[in-house]
Amino acid sequence: MPRRAISRPAGHISALEVPKDAIAEPPTLDFTRGDHVTSADATTPFGRVKLYADKVAKQSPARLAILTFLTIIALVTIALEMPFATQSGQRAPFVDALFTGTSAVCVTGLTTVNTASYWSVFGQAVILAAIKVGGLGVMTLASILALAVSRHIGLTQRMLAATETKTDSLGAVGSLIKAVIVTSFTMEGLLFVIMLPRFIMLGESIGTAVWHAFFMAISAFNNAGFVVLPNSMTAYFSDWWIMMPIIVGMFVGALGFPVTLDIARRWRNPRLWTLHTKMTLTTYVLLTIGAAAILGASEWDNPKTLSPMPAHAKMLTSILMGVNSRSLGISTINVGDETSATWFLQDILMFIGGGSASTAGGIKVTTLAVMVLAIIAEARGDRDIEAFGRRIPPQTVRLSVAVVSIGSLLVAVSIFGLLVFTEFSLDEISFEVISAFATVGLSTGITPLLPAAGKYLLTALMFSGRMGTMTVAAALALRERRRVIRMPEERPAIG
């Protein structure tokens, strides 16, 4: 008896003919077709720049981010090389101008010269502008410029901003950029208004008080750590009026703009906050409280730091220590006088850093949270990694491992290099290296004493610390691919 042909609808494919992974695989969208730049645009200098930027953005967004950062650092360095950028009227050494420019753009705060006494008002203004640009983020700034010019954000700009701001939804980038502008200028304005009367009350002239309040407001919110006050911050160790606004501004700036936007939108119903917001807030607050308590206890009886202070000043300094090790870099005590135990704990806190898409550096608190949750899940034998009623995919864990590993490798290589170049101790060098990598700015005092080779190494590390984790994470995420054919599974021995 002949077989009957089985009729199928047009385009039908049997489940036996297609692997299961292929059935579940969503269609891939080609974003490179958007934001088209016509050949007519290449007739003007701006059009040629836009055409080149669009080409690079399609091929490698991370490369465009690096090139943009390098360009801004070069411009800031050239400006600081001008004779009128220094108070003496003499041209600054190239290594010091480059180091300061990189530190400002990367919102680090490490310096080889005293910001208040070495640079003129012009030089300080250049540093302040570099801090502002670095704090907003170059990719976010690119989208802001596109929004201002064309009154809309093209697809390429949305993709670039999504890379910087850790936003999955391209449509949300426009709202996020507006939140960046509003949050940044609002917080800096509030800090300025709060601190200005205090500087006037302390005997400063109106012009000097305005400049100091303006500079410190931007430096604090952007977690830059630069100080233009003549007596640094040591004169304000017991001044709650000055220090608390700086602490609060730093805290908000280090949370990250996606978190700020999410809280502002759903502040009445925290249950609707995203997993990223919940993980960032929980981890950051716990680390801040724990750091303030432990660091304060570690230095409480140190005759060179907290011991001579009254109780209220000790409390204020302890609170500051709980946040300045994360990314702020402003201290009211001499870090070089702290104990080795305090340095070690600050090394850990600096390496962790703040929130993603924030003015803070480090590997970020969400990376730490994912790693801890993965360890807990493995210890319990759980199949899934869960937090706040959500499951964290394995790809996120692998990305966290990559970020931590690359950061650790950069720090280890830099420590080895400085041990070769200098005669300083391991704990001093480790502190300086981690501070540079995490764009914190705290220093034991050895940075100005480093040879030129050491300064160049820290310059490269500051740039790598600011760009490295972001670009590596973006590059790894873009390279994610699905394979229809998978190799047989076999588990090697671990531990």
Side-chain angles (χ1 to χ4, degrees), residues 157-432:
Q157 283 79 12
R158 288 179 184 269
M159 292 176 64
L160 294 174
T163 300
E164 167 69 10
T165 56
K166 308 297 186 297
T167 304
D168 295 328
S169 173
L170 294 177
V173 174
S175 299
L176 184 57
I177 290 173
K178 295 176 184 177
V180 169
I181 299 174
V182 172
T183 302
S184 177
F185 284 92
T186 300
M187 285 302 303
E188 290 166 355
L190 287 174
L191 293 177
F192 170 78
V193 170
I194 293 173
M195 290 190 290
L196 177 59
R198 183 56 177 168
F199 283 123
I200 296 176
M201 291 173 59
L202 293 174
E204 295 185 356
S205 64
I206 299 296
T208 302
V210 167
W211 175 242
H212 286 168
F214 184 68
F215 191 102
M216 293 307 301
I218 295 178
S219 180
F221 177 75
N222 290 284
N223 287 240
F226 282 87
V227 177
V228 292
L229 304 177
N231 297 322
S232 187
M233 297 302 299
T234 55
Y236 306 94
F237 70 93
S238 61
D239 197 325
W240 288 74
W241 193 338
I242 293 293
M243 297 312 305
M244 282 308 297
I246 290 177
I247 293 172
V248 173
M250 172 269 161
F251 187 90
V252 175
L255 283 178
F257 295 118
V259 174
T260 305
L261 177 61
D262 191 28
I263 294 176
R265 285 178 170 176
R266 305 182 179 93
W267 63 274
R268 293 184 176 180
N269 198 345
R271 291 180 299 175
L272 298 180
W273 289 349
T274 64
L275 176 61
H276 172 73
T277 298
K278 293 177 181 178
M279 290 179 64
T280 300
L281 275 177
T282 302
T283 309
Y284 197 92
V285 170
L286 289 177
L287 286 174
T288 299
I289 295 174
I294 298 174
L295 290 173
S298 177
E299 295 293 322
W300 196 266
D301 295 325
N302 187 345
K304 296 181 180 180
T305 56
L306 297 188
S307 182
M309 297 182 183
H312 72 92
K314 288 183 178 181
M315 293 178 59
L316 177 59
T317 305
S318 298
I319 296 173
L320 177 63
M321 293 175 70
V323 297
N324 70 357
S325 300
R326 316 302 303 286
S327 61
L328 179 59
I330 291 177
S331 179
T332 55
I333 60 177
N334 186 356
V335 177
D337 292 334
E338 295 175 351
T339 64
S340 297
T342 301
W343 283 356
F344 179 71
L345 181 56
Q346 288 179 318
D347 285 344
I348 298 174
L349 294 171
M350 290 190 295
F351 187 77
I352 295 171
S356 298
S358 72
T359 54
I363 62 171
K364 305 299 188 296
V365 292
T366 47
T367 304
L368 172 69
V370 169
M371 297 290 289
V372 172
L373 290 172
I375 294 173
I376 293 175
E378 189 65 27
R380 290 178 175 177
D382 296 335
R383 179 179 180 182
D384 296 325
I385 302 172
E386 299 174 347
F388 298 101
R390 293 292 186 269
R391 176 169 51 86
I392 300 175
Q395 294 88 339
T396 302
V397 180
R398 292 202 302 266
L399 191 59
S400 300
V401 172
V403 169
V404 173
S405 301
I406 293 173
S408 302
L409 180 62
L410 283 173
V411 168
V413 171
S414 301
I415 290 175
F416 176 79
L418 282 187
L419 286 173
V420 173
F421 294 147
T422 69
E423 305 253 342
F424 295 107
S425 63
L426 177 60
D427 53 356
E428 291 175 317
I429 289 177
S430 298
F431 192 97
E432 223 75 7

Side-chain angles (χ1 to χ4, degrees), residues 130-152:
I131 292 171
K132 188 62 182 174
V133 172
L136 289 175
V138 174
M139 292 299 95
T140 305
L141 182 63
S143 294
I144 293 174
L145 293 176
L147 179 64
V149 172
S150 61
R151 297 304 181 100
H152 73 279

